[in-house]
Amino acid sequence: MVQDLTPYNRGMAFAAISEHPLDPAALAGLVSPSAGPGAGAAGAIVTFLGVVRGENQGRAVRALEYEAYGPLAVKALDRIRSEAASAWPGVTLAIHHRVGTLALGEVSVAIAAASAHRAEAFAASRYAIERIKQIAPIWKREHFEGGEVWIEGATANPDDETAREEALRRACR
């Protein structure tokens, strides 16, 4: 059983695992305050949405099921945010991931990045999804026509510098 640490009805966190549908617009709003001392600081807001697609490796996918141990997964997402903040100090990043069974077209992961300029926001967002794939302890089971299978997930050691550098390389291409 996954503990829903920060559901949307209890406030937004910059890193969260949720059993509830993700709200990309709210996530974008979280990284770019529209009022107060930070208003106008972001010249670019980038959002990335991972969605359930209907085909994988020639199979007709019916649904995806995600499982995670919430506290550990949130810790990994926070680590990714921290790494991105070191690489792109002017970027504000938020990452939310769904757990549970998702139908085709549903959003499984939402990333929002805000910065003064678009290049840094795009790079930080790309870095975040690459690192999620590498180190976030979130497991995915694919339900397809005729069966189901667990898909290999994160396998890199979070402290593996080679994996982190590969994510940076992909983010900065």
Side-chain angles (χ1 to χ4, degrees):
M1 183 72 161
V2 172
Q3 183 180 13
D4 195 2
L5 298 174
T6 52
Y8 285 92
N9 62 1
R10 282 192 267 154
M12 296 282 283
F14 285 91
I17 300 296
S18 180
E19 295 176 337
H20 304 283
L22 302 180
D23 183 346
L27 201 61
L30 181 66
V31 297
S32 180
S34 58
I45 300 173
V46 170
T47 56
F48 170 82
L49 305 177
V51 298
V52 179
R53 69 175 182 269
E55 187 277 333
N56 186 37
Q57 299 181 344
R59 298 187 292 241
V61 175
R62 294 181 304 149
L64 292 179
E65 179 183 347
Y66 291 91
E67 290 188 7
Y69 175 64
L72 192 58
V74 168
K75 184 176 177 181
L77 299 181
D78 272 331
R79 179 189 177 117
I80 293 166
R81 292 185 64 249
S82 178
E83 290 174 357
S86 293
W88 299 277
V91 174
T92 301
L93 188 65
I95 308 167
H96 288 188
H97 204 295
R98 275 284 302 274
V99 290
T101 301
L102 282 68
L104 299 181
E106 284 195 89
V107 176
S108 59
V109 60
I111 300 168
S115 69
H117 304 285
R118 68 182 178 274
E120 291 83 4
F122 276 117
S125 178
R126 175 71 190 263
Y127 178 80
I129 192 64
E130 296 297 336
R131 287 297 276 167
I132 289 168
K133 297 285 188 182
Q134 289 178 337
I135 68 168
I138 300 169
W139 301 275
K140 178 170 63 174
R141 183 188 317 203
E142 182 181 279
H143 298 264
F144 56 88
E145 297 291 332
E148 60 188 48
V149 64
W150 284 100
I151 304 295
E152 183 176 341
T155 57
N157 177 338
D159 295 326
D160 180 349
E161 252 331 282
T162 302
R164 195 183 71 72
E165 287 174 11
E166 176 60 19
L168 269 174
R169 186 189 68 74
R170 289 180 181 189
C172 297
R173 291 193 230 194

